[in-house]
Amino acid sequence: MSRQICLILLGPPGAGKGTQAEILVEEKGFLHISSGELFRRNLENETELGKKAGQYIDAGELVPDEITISMVENRIREIDSGTDFILDGFPRTLVQAKALKEILADYDPDVDEVVLYLHVPYSELIERLTGRLTCRAHGHVFHKKYNPPQEQGVCDYDGSELYQREDDQLETVKNRVDVYMEKTEPLIAYYRERGILLQVDAGQDVEGVASEIESKLEKKQW
Ligand code: ADP
Ligand code: ADP
Protein backbone atom coordinates (compact mmCIF):
# COMPACT_ATOMS: atom_id res chain seq x y z
CA MET A 1 0.00 0.00 0.00
CA SER A 2 1.37 3.44 -0.84
CA ARG A 3 1.97 5.87 1.97
CA GLN A 4 -0.29 8.78 2.85
CA ILE A 5 0.91 11.99 1.18
CA CYS A 6 1.12 15.48 2.63
CA LEU A 7 1.59 17.68 -0.43
CA ILE A 8 2.78 21.19 0.41
CA LEU A 9 2.09 23.85 -2.22
CA LEU A 10 4.79 26.48 -2.00
CA GLY A 11 4.95 29.62 -4.10
CA PRO A 12 4.21 33.34 -4.05
CA PRO A 13 0.70 34.74 -3.76
CA GLY A 14 -0.86 34.37 -7.21
CA ALA A 15 1.32 31.42 -8.28
CA GLY A 16 -1.77 29.26 -8.76
CA LYS A 17 -1.68 27.18 -5.56
CA GLY A 18 -5.45 27.30 -5.01
CA THR A 19 -6.18 26.62 -8.69
CA GLN A 20 -3.91 23.59 -8.86
CA ALA A 21 -5.16 22.32 -5.50
CA GLU A 22 -8.73 22.28 -6.87
CA ILE A 23 -7.57 20.23 -9.87
CA LEU A 24 -5.81 17.73 -7.61
CA VAL A 25 -8.95 17.47 -5.48
CA GLU A 26 -11.12 16.72 -8.53
CA GLU A 27 -8.70 14.37 -10.26
CA LYS A 28 -6.83 12.65 -7.48
CA GLY A 29 -9.16 12.97 -4.51
CA PHE A 30 -6.80 14.98 -2.32
CA LEU A 31 -8.21 16.80 0.68
CA HIS A 32 -7.50 20.54 0.34
CA ILE A 33 -6.48 22.56 3.38
CA SER A 34 -5.90 26.26 2.72
CA SER A 35 -4.68 28.34 5.64
CA GLY A 36 -5.98 31.51 3.95
CA GLU A 37 -9.45 29.95 3.60
CA LEU A 38 -9.41 28.77 7.22
CA PHE A 39 -8.66 32.36 8.27
CA ARG A 40 -11.37 33.80 6.00
CA ARG A 41 -13.99 31.38 7.44
CA ASN A 42 -13.02 32.51 10.94
CA LEU A 43 -13.25 36.15 9.90
CA GLU A 44 -16.71 35.64 8.42
CA ASN A 45 -17.93 33.82 11.49
CA GLU A 46 -16.37 36.50 13.73
CA THR A 47 -14.58 33.94 15.92
CA GLU A 48 -11.87 34.88 18.43
CA LEU A 49 -9.28 33.54 15.98
CA GLY A 50 -10.78 35.64 13.18
CA LYS A 51 -10.58 38.76 15.35
CA LYS A 52 -6.92 38.12 16.11
CA ALA A 53 -6.00 37.42 12.47
CA GLY A 54 -8.06 40.07 10.67
CA GLN A 55 -5.76 43.06 11.10
CA TYR A 56 -2.77 41.17 9.70
CA ILE A 57 -4.66 39.81 6.70
CA ASP A 58 -6.07 43.22 5.77
CA ALA A 59 -2.56 44.70 5.84
CA GLY A 60 -1.09 41.88 3.75
CA GLU A 61 1.10 40.80 6.68
CA LEU A 62 1.54 37.27 7.98
CA VAL A 63 -0.57 36.22 10.93
CA PRO A 64 1.81 35.40 13.85
CA ASP A 65 3.25 31.87 13.78
CA GLU A 66 1.75 30.79 17.09
CA ILE A 67 -1.83 31.48 15.97
CA THR A 68 -1.33 29.99 12.51
CA ILE A 69 0.43 26.83 13.65
CA SER A 70 -2.19 25.90 16.22
CA MET A 71 -5.01 26.49 13.71
CA VAL A 72 -3.39 24.21 11.11
CA GLU A 73 -2.36 21.63 13.68
CA ASN A 74 -5.97 21.29 14.84
CA ARG A 75 -7.11 20.82 11.26
CA ILE A 76 -4.45 18.19 10.48
CA ARG A 77 -5.46 16.14 13.53
CA GLU A 78 -8.98 15.84 12.08
CA ILE A 79 -7.76 14.17 8.86
CA ASP A 80 -8.72 10.52 8.48
CA SER A 81 -5.75 8.21 8.40
CA GLY A 82 -4.75 7.30 4.82
CA THR A 83 -6.28 10.42 3.20
CA ASP A 84 -3.79 12.27 0.99
CA PHE A 85 -3.94 15.99 1.72
CA ILE A 86 -2.72 19.30 0.35
CA LEU A 87 -1.45 22.17 2.45
CA ASP A 88 -1.98 25.37 0.48
CA GLY A 89 -0.45 28.51 1.96
CA PHE A 90 1.16 26.76 4.93
CA PRO A 91 3.99 26.78 5.92
CA ARG A 92 5.05 30.34 5.10
CA THR A 93 7.95 30.77 7.55
CA LEU A 94 10.83 28.55 8.67
CA VAL A 95 9.31 28.36 12.14
CA GLN A 96 6.10 27.02 10.59
CA ALA A 97 7.99 24.54 8.40
CA LYS A 98 9.85 23.10 11.37
CA ALA A 99 6.66 22.97 13.43
CA LEU A 100 4.93 21.10 10.59
CA LYS A 101 7.64 18.44 10.59
CA GLU A 102 6.92 17.82 14.28
CA ILE A 103 3.16 17.89 13.80
CA LEU A 104 3.38 15.28 11.04
CA ALA A 105 5.73 13.08 13.05
CA ASP A 106 3.19 13.16 15.83
CA TYR A 107 0.21 12.60 13.48
CA ASP A 108 1.82 9.65 11.69
CA PRO A 109 5.58 9.17 11.21
CA ASP A 110 4.95 7.34 7.92
CA VAL A 111 3.37 10.31 6.11
CA ASP A 112 5.28 11.27 2.97
CA GLU A 113 6.02 15.03 3.02
CA VAL A 114 6.39 16.36 -0.54
CA VAL A 115 6.72 19.98 -1.63
CA LEU A 116 5.58 21.36 -4.97
CA TYR A 117 7.24 24.69 -5.61
CA LEU A 118 5.26 26.74 -8.13
CA HIS A 119 7.76 29.02 -9.77
CA VAL A 120 6.36 32.13 -11.54
CA PRO A 121 8.09 35.27 -12.78
CA TYR A 122 7.41 38.20 -10.45
CA SER A 123 5.91 40.26 -13.28
CA GLU A 124 3.03 37.77 -13.69
CA LEU A 125 1.93 37.85 -10.08
CA ILE A 126 0.48 41.34 -9.84
CA GLU A 127 -1.85 40.82 -12.79
CA ARG A 128 -2.97 37.42 -11.59
CA LEU A 129 -3.78 38.72 -8.12
CA THR A 130 -5.50 41.98 -9.03
CA GLY A 131 -7.73 40.12 -11.54
CA ARG A 132 -8.60 37.28 -9.18
CA LEU A 133 -12.26 36.56 -8.37
CA THR A 134 -13.04 34.38 -5.35
CA CYS A 135 -16.24 32.53 -4.50
CA ARG A 136 -18.05 33.37 -1.29
CA ALA A 137 -19.10 29.84 -0.41
CA HIS A 138 -15.95 27.76 -0.83
CA GLY A 139 -13.12 29.99 -2.07
CA HIS A 140 -13.03 28.64 -5.64
CA VAL A 141 -10.91 30.97 -7.77
CA PHE A 142 -11.37 32.50 -11.22
CA HIS A 143 -9.69 35.28 -13.12
CA LYS A 144 -11.32 38.17 -14.97
CA LYS A 145 -9.18 37.54 -18.03
CA TYR A 146 -7.30 34.22 -17.73
CA ASN A 147 -10.04 32.06 -16.26
CA PRO A 148 -13.42 33.81 -16.43
CA PRO A 149 -16.52 32.09 -14.98
CA GLN A 150 -19.22 30.96 -17.43
CA GLU A 151 -21.64 33.50 -16.01
CA GLN A 152 -20.27 36.84 -14.84
CA GLY A 153 -20.13 37.16 -11.06
CA VAL A 154 -21.26 33.56 -10.41
CA CYS A 155 -19.16 30.56 -9.33
CA ASP A 156 -19.23 27.68 -11.86
CA TYR A 157 -18.97 25.08 -9.09
CA ASP A 158 -21.56 26.15 -6.53
CA GLY A 159 -23.46 29.15 -7.96
CA SER A 160 -22.36 31.49 -5.16
CA GLU A 161 -21.29 35.10 -5.62
CA LEU A 162 -17.79 35.95 -6.85
CA TYR A 163 -16.04 38.88 -5.21
CA GLN A 164 -12.66 40.60 -5.20
CA ARG A 165 -10.80 39.92 -1.95
CA GLU A 166 -10.00 43.06 0.04
CA ASP A 167 -6.33 42.02 0.12
CA ASP A 168 -6.22 41.64 -3.68
CA GLN A 169 -6.13 45.43 -4.15
CA LEU A 170 -2.90 46.64 -5.75
CA GLU A 171 -1.23 48.17 -2.68
CA THR A 172 -1.82 45.16 -0.45
CA VAL A 173 -0.79 42.78 -3.21
CA LYS A 174 2.60 44.47 -3.51
CA ASN A 175 3.17 44.15 0.21
CA ARG A 176 2.16 40.48 0.21
CA VAL A 177 4.67 39.71 -2.52
CA ASP A 178 7.40 41.55 -0.56
CA VAL A 179 6.50 39.59 2.58
CA TYR A 180 6.74 36.37 0.57
CA MET A 181 10.24 37.25 -0.65
CA GLU A 182 11.45 37.96 2.85
CA LYS A 183 9.72 35.31 4.96
CA THR A 184 8.70 32.44 2.68
CA GLU A 185 11.36 32.22 -0.03
CA PRO A 186 13.93 30.74 2.40
CA LEU A 187 11.72 27.65 2.55
CA ILE A 188 12.77 26.73 -0.97
CA ALA A 189 16.36 26.12 0.14
CA TYR A 190 15.18 24.43 3.35
CA TYR A 191 13.06 21.88 1.47
CA ARG A 192 15.60 21.46 -1.32
CA GLU A 193 18.21 20.50 1.26
CA ARG A 194 15.83 17.97 2.73
CA GLY A 195 15.51 16.48 -0.78
CA ILE A 196 11.72 16.71 -0.97
CA LEU A 197 11.25 19.70 -3.31
CA LEU A 198 9.73 19.37 -6.77
CA GLN A 199 9.90 22.51 -8.91
CA VAL A 200 7.19 23.25 -11.46
CA ASP A 201 7.06 25.97 -14.11
CA ALA A 202 3.87 27.74 -13.03
CA GLY A 203 4.26 30.49 -15.63
CA GLN A 204 2.42 28.29 -18.18
CA ASP A 205 -1.35 28.22 -18.61
CA VAL A 206 -3.44 26.34 -16.04
CA GLU A 207 -3.58 23.07 -18.02
CA GLY A 208 0.17 23.15 -18.72
CA VAL A 209 0.96 23.52 -15.03
CA ALA A 210 -1.50 20.75 -14.11
CA SER A 211 0.04 18.28 -16.52
CA GLU A 212 3.58 19.05 -15.38
CA ILE A 213 2.47 18.45 -11.78
CA GLU A 214 0.78 15.21 -12.71
CA SER A 215 3.80 13.80 -14.49
CA LYS A 216 6.24 14.86 -11.77
CA LEU A 217 4.08 13.36 -9.03
CA GLU A 218 3.73 10.12 -11.00
CA LYS A 219 7.46 9.80 -11.50
CA LYS A 220 8.00 10.67 -7.84
CA GLN A 221 10.89 12.88 -8.88
CA TRP A 222 11.77 14.23 -5.49
P1 ADP B 1 -2.53 31.35 -5.12
O1 ADP B 1 -3.44 30.39 -4.40
O2 ADP B 1 -1.15 30.80 -5.32
O3 ADP B 1 -2.52 32.71 -4.54
P2 ADP B 1 -4.57 31.24 -7.24
O4 ADP B 1 -4.73 29.81 -7.60
O5 ADP B 1 -5.63 31.87 -6.40
O6 ADP B 1 -3.10 31.50 -6.61
O7 ADP B 1 -4.41 32.05 -8.61
C1 ADP B 1 -4.29 33.49 -8.62
C2 ADP B 1 -5.06 34.04 -9.82
O8 ADP B 1 -4.38 33.66 -11.04
C3 ADP B 1 -6.49 33.52 -9.97
O9 ADP B 1 -7.28 34.56 -10.47
C4 ADP B 1 -6.37 32.37 -10.97
O10 ADP B 1 -7.57 32.19 -11.72
C5 ADP B 1 -5.23 32.86 -11.86
N1 ADP B 1 -4.36 31.75 -12.34
C6 ADP B 1 -4.02 30.62 -11.68
N2 ADP B 1 -3.18 29.87 -12.41
C7 ADP B 1 -2.98 30.56 -13.57
C8 ADP B 1 -2.19 30.31 -14.76
N3 ADP B 1 -1.45 29.19 -14.88
N4 ADP B 1 -2.22 31.23 -15.73
C9 ADP B 1 -2.98 32.38 -15.59
N5 ADP B 1 -3.72 32.66 -14.51
C10 ADP B 1 -3.73 31.77 -13.51
P1 ADP C 1 -2.76 33.70 -1.43
O1 ADP C 1 -3.65 32.58 -1.92
O2 ADP C 1 -2.93 34.92 -2.24
O3 ADP C 1 -1.34 33.26 -1.28
P2 ADP C 1 -3.87 33.18 1.16
O4 ADP C 1 -5.33 33.04 0.95
O5 ADP C 1 -3.06 31.92 1.25
O6 ADP C 1 -3.28 34.11 0.02
O7 ADP C 1 -3.58 34.02 2.46
C1 ADP C 1 -4.24 35.23 2.72
C2 ADP C 1 -3.67 35.86 3.98
O8 ADP C 1 -3.89 35.00 5.12
C3 ADP C 1 -2.16 36.09 3.96
O9 ADP C 1 -1.80 37.31 3.32
C4 ADP C 1 -1.84 36.12 5.46
O10 ADP C 1 -2.24 37.35 6.06
C5 ADP C 1 -2.78 35.04 6.00
N1 ADP C 1 -2.10 33.72 6.01
C6 ADP C 1 -2.44 32.64 5.26
N2 ADP C 1 -1.62 31.61 5.51
C7 ADP C 1 -0.71 32.04 6.42
C8 ADP C 1 0.41 31.46 7.06
N3 ADP C 1 0.80 30.20 6.80
N4 ADP C 1 1.11 32.22 7.95
C9 ADP C 1 0.74 33.47 8.25
N5 ADP C 1 -0.30 34.10 7.66
C10 ADP C 1 -1.03 33.40 6.75
Side-chain angles (χ1 to χ4, degrees):
M1 206 180 82
S2 58
R3 284 163 55 171
Q4 183 178 2
I5 299 173
C6 166
L7 185 63
I8 297 162
L9 294 186
L10 182 61
K17 301 183 294 296
T19 301
Q20 295 302 326
E22 282 307 321
I23 294 174
L24 288 163
V25 168
E26 299 249 319
E27 295 188 353
K28 306 269 180 219
F30 276 89
L31 174 73
H32 180 195
I33 299 173
S34 155
S35 47
E37 272 301 304
L38 290 176
F39 281 131
R40 282 187 288 282
R41 294 282 155 252
N42 276 282
L43 272 174
E44 241 174 56
N45 297 330
E46 297 177 358
T47 65
E48 278 309 307
L49 177 72
K51 281 179 205 152
K52 282 187 203 154
Q55 52 176 319
Y56 299 100
I57 295 171
D58 289 345
E61 297 293 332
L62 294 184
V63 178
D65 285 332
E66 211 182 272
I67 300 174
T68 307
I69 291 166
S70 71
M71 174 182 76
V72 175
E73 179 170 15
N74 290 335
R75 183 66 191 88
I76 289 177
R77 283 174 198 253
E78 293 169 1
I79 300 172
D80 290 338
S81 157
T83 303
D84 293 334
F85 59 101
I86 293 173
L87 293 179
D88 162 11
F90 181 91
R92 266 173 150 100
T93 64
L94 270 174
V95 171
Q96 292 178 14
K98 289 174 183 167
L100 174 63
K101 194 162 179 265
E102 306 274 309
I103 291 167
L104 291 176
D106 193 47
Y107 169 81
D108 180 349
D110 279 340
V111 169
D112 234 339
E113 203 180 350
V114 184
V115 182
L116 266 183
Y117 166 42
L118 272 54
H119 178 265
V120 187
Y122 178 85
S123 56
E124 273 283 315
L125 298 175
I126 304 293
E127 208 182 342
R128 285 194 187 182
L129 288 166
T130 53
R132 173 161 61 189
L133 299 168
T134 303
C135 112
R136 266 299 161 213
H138 299 103
H140 295 115
V141 290
F142 297 84
H143 191 279
K144 287 177 189 166
K145 198 158 96 189
Y146 301 132
N147 181 22
Q150 282 166 13
E151 190 183 333
Q152 200 184 338
V154 180
C155 177
D156 289 356
Y157 298 97
D158 57 35
S160 75
E161 181 204 8
L162 297 178
Y163 73 107
Q164 183 179 40
R165 275 168 45 181
E166 197 63 45
D167 62 344
D168 277 345
Q169 314 276 349
L170 186 60
E171 276 316 302
T172 318
V173 158
K174 285 184 183 158
N175 190 42
R176 285 164 56 209
V177 174
D178 288 347
V179 168
Y180 168 82
M181 304 280 186
E182 188 195 338
K183 305 262 175 60
T184 311
E185 231 177 28
L187 297 192
I188 299 166
Y190 167 77
Y191 283 123
R192 194 169 273 143
E193 273 161 31
R194 284 182 50 197
I196 56 172
L197 188 92
L198 273 177
Q199 181 163 329
V200 174
D201 173 12
Q204 316 168 65
D205 62 17
V206 172
E207 290 72 28
V209 181
S211 67
E212 190 176 329
I213 290 175
E214 189 180 359
S215 80
K216 288 206 165 144
L217 283 180
E218 254 165 30
K219 287 184 203 138
K220 297 204 165 214
Q221 292 176 330
W222 62 81

